[in-house]
Amino acid sequence: MVLAMSPTPSTTELLFQSLGRFRTAWPKGGWSWDGRLNCVASSFVIELTDDAQLAIRDVFVGQWSTKNIAVAPQAVRDIADTTGGIRSDQILYSSEPGGRLISYGLWWPWGDDVTISMRVGLGGYVSDADLARFRQLFGALED
């Protein structure tokens, strides 16, 4: 008897699978579309920080701040540049660079000691089909 081998998933497929796990684990409800940065956004109260960090750690292996962004992979520095840079209270999370896509998360405290926004997006060579799939995954189909 010959067992059929299933094909190894592409790096793009693996990235979308990890983003699906992230969305499932995210402690806050829906995501909205941030057309300014072409990413999804979710705001939450600071009491959910530990749960949010658990969801982040499962998907985003890189953690970048003003202290270490200069040594980040070029794809991560490009994301930092296109999203306006990183302030001292912000964190840029990233998936492992490796394929044509990289996923990222932007941890942006509001400065009121109450609310934090998490923005999640795609960097690298993002096609229209990738962006449509990403928006559908997060339920952010409306502008």
Side-chain angles (χ1 to χ4, degrees):
M1 174 153 101
V2 176
L3 295 176
M5 300 280 292
S6 61
T8 303
S10 69
T11 56
T12 299
E13 188 58 36
L14 292 171
L15 181 135
F16 275 100
Q17 288 174 10
S18 70
L19 287 172
R21 289 191 311 274
F22 172 78
R23 175 144 193 251
T24 299
W26 188 246
K28 185 71 172 132
W31 292 83
S32 61
W33 183 248
D34 179 342
R36 184 175 58 100
L37 297 176
N38 284 332
C39 62
V40 294
S42 176
S43 298
F44 59 96
V45 293
I46 203 162
E47 288 80 15
L48 293 176
T49 296
D50 290 342
D51 293 333
Q53 290 291 332
L54 282 173
I56 289 167
R57 277 194 293 269
D58 182 46
V59 174
F60 299 107
V61 297
Q63 181 174 328
W64 311 98
S65 68
T66 56
K67 294 179 178 158
N68 66 352
I69 192 66
V71 298
Q74 185 62 51
V76 174
R77 288 181 295 176
D78 290 347
I79 291 166
D81 288 343
T82 60
T83 58
I86 302 173
R87 292 191 325 241
S88 62
D89 60 341
Q90 296 175 337
I91 301 169
L92 188 158
Y93 294 98
S94 66
S95 64
E96 188 70 44
R100 66 180 179 81
L101 292 176
I102 182 172
S103 60
Y104 66 87
L106 303 170
W107 181 273
W108 287 0
W110 286 21
D112 61 3
D113 294 325
V114 176
T115 310
I116 299 170
S117 288
M118 181 69 173
R119 285 171 170 73
V120 176
L122 298 174
Y125 299 103
V126 183
S127 71
D128 289 342
D130 295 325
L131 200 54
R133 181 178 179 187
F134 175 78
R135 288 182 73 162
Q136 183 173 12
L137 176 67
F138 282 88
L141 303 174
E142 301 294 320
D143 284 338

